[in-house]
Amino acid sequence: MIALGLEGSANKLGVGLIRHDMSTTPPTVTILSNLRHTYHPPPGEGFLPKDTALHHRSHILELVKNAMAEANITPKDISVICFTKGPGMGGPLTSVAVVARTLALMWKKELVGVNHCVGHIEMGRQITGAENPVVLYVSGGNTQVIAYAEKRYRIFGEALDIAVGNCLDRFARVLNLPNDPAPGYNIEQLAKKGSKLLDLPYTVKGMDVSFSGVLTYIETNAPALIASGEYTEADLCFSLQETVFAMLVETTERAMAHIGSKEVLIVGGVGCNMRLQEMMAQMAGQRGGKVFATDERFCIDNGIMIAQAGILAYQTGYTTPLEKTWCTQRFRTDEVFVAWRE
């Protein structure tokens, strides 16, 4: 059984092909291809929905062709076409969904609309082998602490305003850092050169976090702090990372204690950050636990994660009728019925 996965909820356009060999128990999983093309706006700017959608429309057909060539398969080999139904940016989501529908009609294939967040979780579980972890999902659009229970991925805590990735990206714009390969990555590299910690607002409310206050504070004060020579750009990146990551570690640890888990799985684009992984591993180690994380091939938005989550749902008999293949910018993780897990 082979699934084609199409992802385009933000500025990453991904196409992936995955095979599940159903003759073994559990099925043997093989990644056949996992290609990605990223839209990079100029330094100091974010990506707008219309420009991102245009990027996706311009590159998706070539990406599908290349992915199928790399996998050495033809349309008749594909069992199901999976696409990101949401959450995400409306224009980019719709651009990719139109292609998914068109291919399904041309090739006479079933469709499966996938929750983007569940895609991250299922790909993380597959790659790392984590059994029943507390999941920290951190990206440019989402920040959630999640645990599985009774056929749902339950949200224990989340950002009340902006996501942690958005917080880092917007500060990168203040410093006019490049968007290539990613603003958060460039913040991380600059933070490695910093050592002086600035006291920043730290907002944890129960299991939830808030990043708008710390962002406003550092955005407002950064020019004067840098001009005075009291702090360098590297010091401010270091301070921002240490503060927001400490908030995430605190809430994740509380979820671990609540459900009695010894595992943490970090997914989403910000999950590539080595400092976040290091801080989380330190906390988990003190609890006798372990952190699971993936590299940029699977942390950053990609098509293979959509294929993986979609094929798992497809194996339970789930499909998305053509008339229900609309996209939604708001599609919570806990709305999905996870029929493929015990």
Side-chain angles (χ1 to χ4, degrees):
M1 184 180 289
I2 296 176
L4 169 67
L6 305 177
E7 153 61 25
S9 60
N11 68 322
K12 276 82 175 175
L13 174 65
V15 176
L17 284 153
I18 198 165
R19 175 189 287 123
H20 281 213
D21 182 354
M22 306 306 291
S23 66
T24 64
T25 305
T28 302
V29 177
T30 306
I31 295 171
L32 303 177
S33 63
N34 186 24
L35 304 183
R36 182 166 52 219
H37 199 285
T38 304
Y39 169 61
H40 296 296
E45 297 182 17
F47 50 90
L48 298 175
K50 64 184 179 75
D51 297 331
T52 309
L54 176 60
H55 166 270
H56 291 1
R57 292 196 297 271
S58 301
H59 293 280
I60 189 166
L61 295 182
E62 179 185 10
L63 218 55
V64 170
K65 289 178 184 177
N66 292 343
M68 293 181 67
E70 183 179 288
N72 193 28
I73 65 167
T74 63
K76 68 180 176 58
D77 300 314
I78 295 173
S79 308
V80 61
I81 296 174
C82 313
F83 68 98
T84 306
K85 188 174 176 66
M89 302 169 74
L93 280 171
T94 303
S95 297
V96 174
V98 167
V99 173
R101 292 187 204 113
T102 304
L103 294 179
L105 290 170
M106 286 174 53
W107 297 343
K108 296 179 172 56
K109 305 295 179 182
E110 300 276 17
L111 283 162
V112 172
V114 174
N115 179 287
H116 178 86
C117 315
V118 172
H120 273 296
I121 295 170
E122 293 303 342
M123 200 66 230
R125 290 180 63 235
Q126 175 61 41
I127 295 297
T128 65
E131 294 182 5
N132 190 30
V134 169
V135 179
L136 176 64
Y137 171 36
V138 278
S139 69
N142 298 275
T143 300
Q144 296 176 346
V145 178
I146 301 162
Y148 174 78
E150 298 179 350
K151 302 293 184 180
R152 304 273 177 179
Y153 284 116
R154 312 286 176 173
I155 300 172
F156 276 66
E158 59 193 318
L160 297 172
D161 36 49
I162 61 172
V164 63
N166 186 241
C167 176
L168 296 171
D169 290 353
R170 286 170 62 179
F171 187 57
R173 291 181 219 164
V174 172
L175 300 181
N176 207 39
L177 297 179
N179 286 308
D180 188 10
Y185 174 83
N186 294 322
I187 288 270
E188 178 186 4
Q189 301 314 306
L190 198 53
K192 293 175 181 177
K193 301 174 184 177
S195 58
K196 189 174 181 182
L197 185 66
L198 173 66
D199 188 21
L200 294 172
Y202 182 99
T203 311
V204 173
K205 301 182 178 183
M207 283 298 297
D208 297 326
V209 292
S210 171
F211 298 113
S212 58
V214 63
L215 176 64
T216 299
Y217 182 90
I218 200 166
E219 278 183 332
T220 303
N221 292 285
L225 291 170
I226 294 169
S228 69
E230 188 177 357
Y231 291 89
T232 65
E233 290 185 355
D235 290 331
L236 296 183
C237 291
F238 167 74
S239 300
L240 182 60
Q241 273 199 170
E242 294 297 303
T243 302
V244 298
F245 291 169
M247 293 159 61
L248 298 173
V249 170
E250 178 185 335
T251 51
T252 304
E253 181 175 20
R254 197 172 291 126
M256 289 178 72
H258 181 78
I259 70 170
S261 175
K262 296 288 186 182
E263 297 178 336
V264 178
L265 172 62
I266 307 176
V267 300
V270 182
C272 294
N273 190 294
M274 297 306 296
R275 179 54 182 156
L276 173 59
Q277 292 184 23
E278 179 185 8
M279 291 173 68
M280 196 66 70
Q282 194 172 23
M283 177 276 290
Q286 292 170 357
R287 300 182 61 85
K290 184 178 180 182
V291 168
F292 296 86
T294 64
D295 59 31
E296 62 87 26
R297 292 173 299 167
F298 306 110
C299 259
I300 297 173
D301 292 351
N302 58 85
I304 203 70
M305 72 184 201
I306 302 304
Q308 170 67 3
I311 201 170
L312 289 173
Y314 184 66
Q315 288 164 13
T316 69
Y318 178 83
T319 59
T320 305
L322 188 65
E323 62 272 16
K324 293 188 177 179
T325 55
W326 40 264
C327 297
T328 173
Q329 293 176 267
R330 293 174 175 81
F331 187 4
R332 287 181 62 81
T333 313
D334 51 8
E335 290 180 34
V336 178
F337 183 73
V338 187
W340 55 89
R341 288 194 63 178
E342 293 296 329

